[in-house]
Amino acid sequence: MMLNVSRLVGRHIKLNNNLKTNIPIVSYGLSVNNFKFQYLYESSNRSYNNNNKNDNTTCYYFLLSSLFGFFNFKEEDGEEISELIITIKRSILSIQRNEFKKAEQMLHVALRQAQALQNQNAITYIYDLMANLAFETKQLKKAETLFLLVLERLLSNGVTENDLKVIHISLKLANIYEQTGDMEKAETGYKYCLENVQIYVDNNPKDENVLILLAMTYDWYAQMLFSQARYTDAFKYFEQSYNICVKVNGREHEQTVNLLNYLGTVSYKMEEYDKAIEYLTTATEIGRSLPDMIHIASVHINLGNVYLKKGLYLNAKKACYEGQRIAKNKEDEESLVEANKCLDDIKKLL
């Protein structure tokens, strides 16, 4: 029997022979001067501060660049600056369309334009976009090198080590270290980010951008803890991320469902099956109000597998049939396979 969160999350981690799980796809979104940057990250995951509750991506919204507001878009500054802005915007649009090769080419053009103008802030900003593009396309060593270059440029420009721009980049570096197996650096990085973001929250608890960053940090750190079977700590941080998500987005939101799914999965791993049923049931109830959520079938199937573990075969059958129905309607082939497996297991036991 396995709980499958693969459609709500992205990187597959097989923890034992009976259960698989993944790290959710996350995307967090903010806007700069009315121009929305979207950064889709397939390895860690979630969707904070997304005003469209029915967004049909299974991701969190985050800004493409950590340096929002660092390079100001002022087209009135001159024709050359205007051309540079257009090039940067086109590169971002290419990223949003998953045209990554084209985006990289455009960013190199933008970098040459910025260097010709000797606009140091723009150069730093473009390096940051390049780093995020490498991060998105799993070129982790390249992303690490570029993020470290951006940090060096920021710090030499007078930005302090606890500045939010530095924390954003540090969080991504921590995730890179996690993905490349340097868990000691990853742990240090996540804890550094948590400690410093919390200071900002304490000073301004209503700042949603800071709350989003804190929720994202809780989430990513919890995912690492989960992958290491440190379930008690993972649960604690997923729960804190969930509480912020509800505070920022309200209860009826895709990210709320994703985090409830994770809380249910962690509870299952800790053999707290009643808690797992409670979280997953709540997630399915919220999912009914999110008709555009593509992979909600996985939550029903997970619920069915928990019922199956408890020997509640009729409940399990009902949940897996619902997951199967939704998967067929949404043409979610992976969830359909999992639903059929669940139903086959139930058939053998009835």
Side-chain angles (χ1 to χ4, degrees):
M1 181 197 311
M2 54 171 77
L3 293 190
N4 180 15
V5 289
S6 63
R7 305 305 291 160
L8 297 177
V9 294
R11 184 179 61 196
H12 176 72
I13 301 174
K14 192 166 186 176
L15 300 178
N16 59 38
N17 293 328
N18 297 318
L19 182 127
K20 73 175 182 179
T21 188
N22 311 41
I23 300 250
I25 298 176
V26 195
S27 112
Y28 296 76
L30 294 172
S31 60
V32 182
N33 294 345
N34 299 319
F35 190 82
K36 181 149 186 176
F37 299 130
Q38 210 172 353
Y39 171 60
L40 302 184
Y41 174 40
E42 272 195 6
S43 168
S44 262
N45 290 325
R46 289 132 264 250
S47 158
Y48 298 101
N49 199 26
N50 176 9
N51 292 325
N52 180 6
K53 294 190 292 186
N54 294 327
D55 177 43
N56 61 7
T57 66
T58 55
C59 308
Y60 288 72
Y61 278 92
F62 185 42
L63 62 164
L64 175 66
S65 171
S66 307
L67 307 186
F68 51 99
F70 187 70
F71 171 54
N72 293 318
F73 294 113
K74 294 181 180 178
E75 299 187 26
E76 65 272 15
D77 287 347
E79 183 177 344
E80 291 177 321
I81 286 289
S82 180
E83 290 178 1
L84 172 59
I85 293 168
I86 291 170
T87 305
I88 291 173
K89 288 184 176 182
R90 285 175 176 169
S91 69
I92 293 170
L93 287 172
S94 295
I95 293 171
Q96 293 176 340
R97 294 167 180 162
N98 294 328
E99 298 171 350
F100 298 131
K101 185 175 181 180
K102 180 179 178 181
E104 185 171 14
Q105 293 171 343
M106 296 293 292
L107 285 171
H108 280 287
V109 172
L111 181 60
R112 289 194 295 271
Q113 291 173 328
Q115 289 170 336
L117 293 169
Q118 298 183 21
N119 189 320
Q120 298 304 315
N121 283 352
I123 292 169
T124 303
Y125 179 75
I126 293 164
Y127 277 135
D128 193 54
L129 291 172
M130 287 178 167
N132 278 284
L133 178 57
F135 191 46
E136 162 70 7
T137 54
K138 306 294 185 179
Q139 300 175 72
L140 298 180
K141 186 60 182 177
K142 182 178 180 180
E144 178 190 1
T145 300
L146 286 165
F147 278 133
L148 290 172
L149 173 61
V150 173
L151 281 179
E152 180 183 350
R153 291 178 65 87
L154 288 173
L155 295 172
S156 67
N157 199 46
V159 175
T160 61
E161 290 185 358
N162 62 348
D163 189 279
L164 281 177
K165 292 182 282 291
V166 174
I167 296 170
H168 270 281
I169 295 172
S170 298
L171 179 58
K172 293 169 190 174
L173 282 168
N175 192 267
I176 288 171
Y177 296 136
E178 178 194 346
Q179 291 189 71
T180 54
D182 194 336
M183 295 305 182
E184 184 177 350
K185 276 188 178 180
E187 180 103 18
T188 300
Y190 285 132
K191 287 182 175 178
Y192 167 83
C193 294
L194 284 173
E195 179 182 342
N196 283 279
V197 177
Q198 188 62 57
I199 294 171
Y200 280 92
V201 173
D202 292 341
N203 291 332
N204 190 355
K206 294 184 179 181
D207 187 329
E208 286 197 356
N209 286 340
V210 175
L211 288 172
I212 290 165
L213 182 57
L214 181 59
M216 180 180 176
T217 308
Y218 281 143
D219 187 7
W220 289 17
Y221 184 41
Q223 290 178 44
M224 188 186 79
L225 295 170
F226 182 73
S227 73
Q228 296 173 329
R230 295 159 66 182
Y231 299 129
T232 301
D233 288 336
F235 184 91
K236 178 178 73 174
Y237 289 111
F238 277 130
E239 187 174 42
Q240 292 184 76
S241 183
Y242 167 78
N243 290 336
I244 294 173
C245 181
V246 172
K247 181 177 180 179
V248 172
N249 297 308
R251 189 170 178 269
E252 293 183 3
H253 192 276
E254 286 193 17
Q255 183 52 21
T256 304
V257 175
N258 289 341
L259 288 167
L260 285 168
N261 187 58
Y262 242 125
L263 288 167
T265 302
V266 178
S267 297
Y268 176 93
K269 294 296 291 183
M270 295 191 294
E271 299 183 356
E272 296 179 356
Y273 302 125
D274 289 337
K275 284 179 64 176
I277 289 171
E278 181 181 349
Y279 287 120
L280 293 169
T281 299
T282 302
T284 60
E285 290 170 351
I286 296 172
R288 292 190 184 97
S289 64
L290 301 170
D292 295 332
M293 188 170 183
I294 299 297
H295 304 301
I296 188 63
S298 289
V299 184
H300 290 272
I301 299 161
N302 282 350
L303 178 59
N305 278 315
V306 180
Y307 279 133
L308 187 58
K309 183 72 174 180
K310 287 201 65 171
L312 300 171
Y313 302 134
L314 293 180
N315 299 73
K317 185 177 181 179
K318 180 179 178 182
C320 287
Y321 265 130
E322 180 65 7
Q324 183 189 61
R325 183 190 67 80
I326 295 171
K328 286 180 179 178
N329 288 342
K330 294 184 179 293
E331 299 181 349
D332 181 356
E333 293 298 327
E334 185 172 340
S335 292
L336 184 58
V337 169
E338 294 300 326
N340 290 336
K341 285 180 182 178
C342 179
L343 291 167
D344 286 342
D345 289 339
I346 297 167
K347 187 176 180 180
K348 294 172 185 176
L349 294 167
L350 286 176

